[in-house]
Amino acid sequence: MLAIEHFERAVQRFGDRAVAVDENGAMTYRDMAALVDRIAGALVNSGVEAGDRVSILSPNHPHVLACQYAIMKAGCVWVPSNHRNLPADTVRQLQTLEVGWLFHHSALEEHVARVRREVAGVRGFIAIDRATPDSPALVEWADRHPPVASFPTRSMEDPVAIMTSGGTTGLPKGAIHTNRSWETNTANFFASLTFRKPPVHLVVAPLTHATGVFHWTMVGRGATHVIAPSADPAVILGLIETHKVNILFLPPTIIYMILSHPDLHKYDCSSLEYFMFGAAPMSVDKLREATTVFGPVMSQIYGSTETLIMNTILRREELAECLENPALEHRLASAGREGPFSRVEIVDDAGNRLGPNERGEITVRGDFVMKEYYQDPKRTAEAMIGGWYHSGDIGYKDADGYLYIVDRKNDMIISGGFNVYPGEVEQAVLAHPAVQDCAVVGVPHEKWGETVLAAVEVKAGFSLDRDEFLAFCKNRLGSIKAPKILEIVDTLPRSAVGKTLRRAVRARYWEDRDKII
């Protein structure tokens, strides 16, 4: 099935059920479908053609879903853009992926103003919630256009989304996903999750990040998506209780915040059937605590931008069994086993498959893997070898097939579920007038999983004020990517050819850990 057909079938079967709920009310599948048809028709009437890239830049909002469905209905390609990024990052993304239209939230007008100035290829700007001085409101804009009798015919191999993965060169990589990869990702979930009641999904993490893909796995089941106004633990717990939420997906960062909330036990979370986590490693101790609090509902998934979100799964039943049986407790540190429609193998640098407990690069194969990087054959060839996606993650599988992720080959940092690339951060650090050289690494952090540390050599005759330095970096990188810790060193470790060794800087902080991640 085409991606949009999952939504269309849900409209036929569950027309009167709420598809989206927020603080302003609910929208049924039937009402959503009518809006989607009008938006898709307006895109077609505006000259947008099949295969054109259309982006959404917004915090979570019901109209983000409407626009995503409409983009696919019009035969276009959805490009999610994280509203937490700096405007410069958005400009670079939209330029690289040749985006032609942008749906955005009115609160981001200053952000969008830079796109207007610098990205000549974006021909249309639509505000999803209310009109701004330069963008018409979504509903009014859609209503100005006549209905469209038919929409472009698409195939299973046609792109539906380009998910952006960062690059240490400064250029983002656009992972192209097709109707087939979308369907296979959904099939993995259909085969792995069973519900007692129709899914009521709490949306907390950004719909322009993993949740934008995750929610699709439930569209065909007629899920109701309850959109949280914030990631505040009390808000999340209150919505679970009020709406009888039975599934949600969160990065460990937010789970830790929930577990530490003083009023946690005052809320009724007994409706939960699946409390899924991913995007970053989770503390085993915290995982035990979460299971004690929420019951045997915790489940981990492992994926990536290039392979979507269920390469492996540690099922709730398996996780509960690990807690009950001391002989299986070590599996709590795993990312589970292959999904029903996925293959995961460990290989050495020569591409040879390794045996149980041998460490090497994690490779993935399945119809959910990206088609290619957008107009980047070189990086596509580097990532896709013999039909297998090479993740850059280092791990091993035990004799029972459970995957353990122990390191990242490419030095990427995952902080709070977001990818941070050291090379990009180092460029900003080196722009400081007092910095001679630097190495940026991820170090352990109880809340965020990892946080960004900058080890810095200071130029002779200069001094470096910590607060001023961190503010300098934050101004250039934004709060997610900027270093949180400054370490001043006399000399950075270097290789024989003079290359700074990030791994040597990083090792001191992870030497007492079982997992180097």
Side-chain angles (χ1 to χ4, degrees):
M1 290 172 60
L2 303 177
I4 192 60
E5 289 178 312
H6 289 267
F7 171 70
E8 292 171 340
R9 186 170 66 179
V11 174
Q12 293 172 352
R13 294 183 177 182
F14 315 108
D16 294 327
R17 185 180 294 171
V19 60
V21 177
D22 70 354
E23 53 197 343
N24 296 313
M27 177 180 289
T28 67
Y29 271 88
R30 186 170 290 110
D31 289 341
M32 176 71 80
L35 177 58
V36 167
D37 282 352
R38 299 201 305 275
I39 299 169
L43 284 170
V44 172
N45 283 322
S46 298
V48 180
E49 299 180 351
D52 284 355
R53 276 74 58 205
V54 181
S55 188
I56 304 174
L57 177 70
S58 174
N60 289 344
H61 189 284
H63 286 172
V64 171
L65 297 179
C67 290
Q68 190 183 138
Y69 303 153
I71 290 167
M72 295 185 183
K73 179 119 186 181
C76 300
V77 181
W78 170 50
V79 178
S81 191
N82 193 336
H83 76 283
R84 295 174 178 169
N85 285 345
L86 290 175
D89 293 330
T90 302
V91 165
R92 190 168 51 190
Q93 177 198 25
L94 301 189
Q95 287 175 332
T96 301
L97 302 182
E98 299 179 300
V99 168
W101 278 71
L102 178 66
F103 292 105
H104 67 91
H105 195 279
S106 63
L108 300 170
E109 187 61 18
E110 290 186 14
H111 194 132
V112 174
R114 182 159 177 181
V115 175
R116 294 179 193 277
R117 293 194 304 269
E118 299 184 23
V119 189
V122 179
R123 307 185 304 278
F125 294 84
I126 309 297
I128 69 166
D129 53 330
R130 61 178 179 83
T132 71
D134 297 305
S135 299
L138 176 70
V139 174
E140 288 77 8
W141 169 77
D143 288 345
R144 290 204 300 263
H145 293 268
V148 171
S150 63
F151 293 97
T153 300
R154 305 297 277 163
S155 77
M156 292 299 291
E157 310 313 321
D158 285 325
V160 293
I162 302 180
M163 315 300 290
T164 305
S165 177
T168 55
T169 64
L171 290 175
K173 296 179 288 186
I176 298 177
H177 284 283
T178 65
N179 281 294
R180 189 172 303 282
S181 60
W182 224 247
E183 180 184 56
T184 308
N185 184 65
T186 299
N188 260 327
F189 273 82
F190 262 76
S192 302
L193 277 63
T194 58
F195 289 89
R196 297 190 302 270
K197 297 180 178 180
V200 179
H201 169 221
L202 183 59
V203 178
V204 181
L207 285 166
T208 52
H209 199 244
T211 306
V213 178
F214 183 77
H215 98 276
W216 270 98
T217 65
M218 293 167 279
V219 167
R221 300 181 193 247
T224 296
H225 305 286
V226 179
I227 299 176
S230 74
D232 180 270
V235 171
I236 293 171
L237 292 165
L239 290 172
I240 293 172
E241 180 178 86
T242 299
H243 295 280
K244 306 302 180 187
V245 169
N246 59 4
I247 182 168
L248 76 161
F249 169 83
L250 292 175
T253 301
I254 301 178
I255 298 175
Y256 299 164
M257 293 166 59
I258 292 172
L259 291 174
S260 65
H261 194 275
D263 295 328
L264 170 61
H265 295 284
K266 295 181 180 179
Y267 293 91
D268 180 5
C269 297
S270 61
S271 60
L272 282 176
E273 297 184 53
Y274 292 97
F275 195 149
M276 308 195 77
F277 62 96
M282 185 169 178
S283 159
V284 170
D285 290 336
K286 296 291 187 184
L287 184 51
R288 290 193 188 94
E289 183 182 353
T291 303
T292 300
V293 171
F294 298 108
V297 297
M298 305 302 294
S299 181
Q300 180 176 0
I301 50 179
Y302 163 68
S304 68
T305 300
E306 290 83 357
T307 61
L308 300 180
I309 52 177
M310 195 191 279
N311 303 173
T312 64
I313 177 171
L314 183 62
R315 303 171 192 272
R316 60 183 183 182
E317 296 84 0
E318 293 175 302
L319 202 152
E321 186 181 10
C322 294
L323 290 168
E324 294 171 0
N325 185 348
L328 302 177
E329 194 173 22
H330 61 280
R331 291 179 183 169
L332 293 174
S334 80
R337 292 190 283 192
E338 296 165 327
F341 299 98
S342 64
R343 288 287 310 281
V344 176
E345 295 291 352
I346 310 299
V347 302
D348 62 19
D349 288 342
N352 300 308
R353 186 178 302 175
L354 299 176
N357 301 312
E358 292 185 295
R359 298 188 177 194
E361 184 172 10
I362 300 169
T363 63
V364 182
R365 190 180 73 188
D367 282 346
F368 52 82
V369 175
M370 68 170 184
K371 182 178 182 180
E372 60 190 346
Y373 289 123
Y374 182 77
Q375 295 188 356
D376 199 337
K378 180 177 182 294
R379 288 200 281 189
T380 299
E382 292 170 349
M384 298 297 299
I385 302 173
W388 291 80
Y389 170 70
H390 286 240
S391 69
D393 291 338
I394 301 299
Y396 64 93
K397 291 167 69 175
D398 65 20
D400 297 312
Y402 287 85
L403 175 70
Y404 299 78
I405 307 165
V406 296
D407 200 355
R408 278 183 293 277
K409 191 175 181 179
N410 59 6
D411 289 333
M412 184 178 70
I413 302 164
I414 298 180
S415 183
F418 290 94
N419 296 348
V420 179
Y421 293 85
E424 183 180 1
V425 180
E426 286 168 0
Q427 289 300 314
V429 171
L430 290 167
H432 192 285
V435 172
Q436 176 68 38
D437 202 355
C438 71
V440 169
V441 299
V443 298
H445 192 278
E446 182 66 17
K447 180 177 180 182
W448 302 112
E450 287 183 287
T451 193
V452 182
L453 174 144
V456 170
E457 291 178 1
V458 180
K459 292 178 181 177
F462 284 76
S463 61
L464 199 58
D465 177 82
R466 174 189 176 279
D467 292 341
E468 184 275 332
F469 170 79
L470 296 180
F472 174 91
C473 295
K474 185 175 180 180
N475 185 53
R476 283 158 176 76
L477 294 165
S479 60
I480 293 173
K481 298 177 184 177
K484 311 301 184 295
I485 302 173
L486 167 64
E487 177 182 322
I488 297 176
V489 299
D490 292 331
T491 306
L492 289 165
R494 290 179 173 84
S495 69
V497 295
K499 183 177 180 180
T500 301
L501 297 174
R502 291 188 193 129
R503 192 171 299 275
V505 175
R506 191 169 178 257
R508 290 183 288 111
Y509 292 91
W510 295 92
E511 58 189 3
D512 296 329
R513 305 267 174 151
D514 292 330
K515 295 199 295 184
I516 318 168
I517 195 166

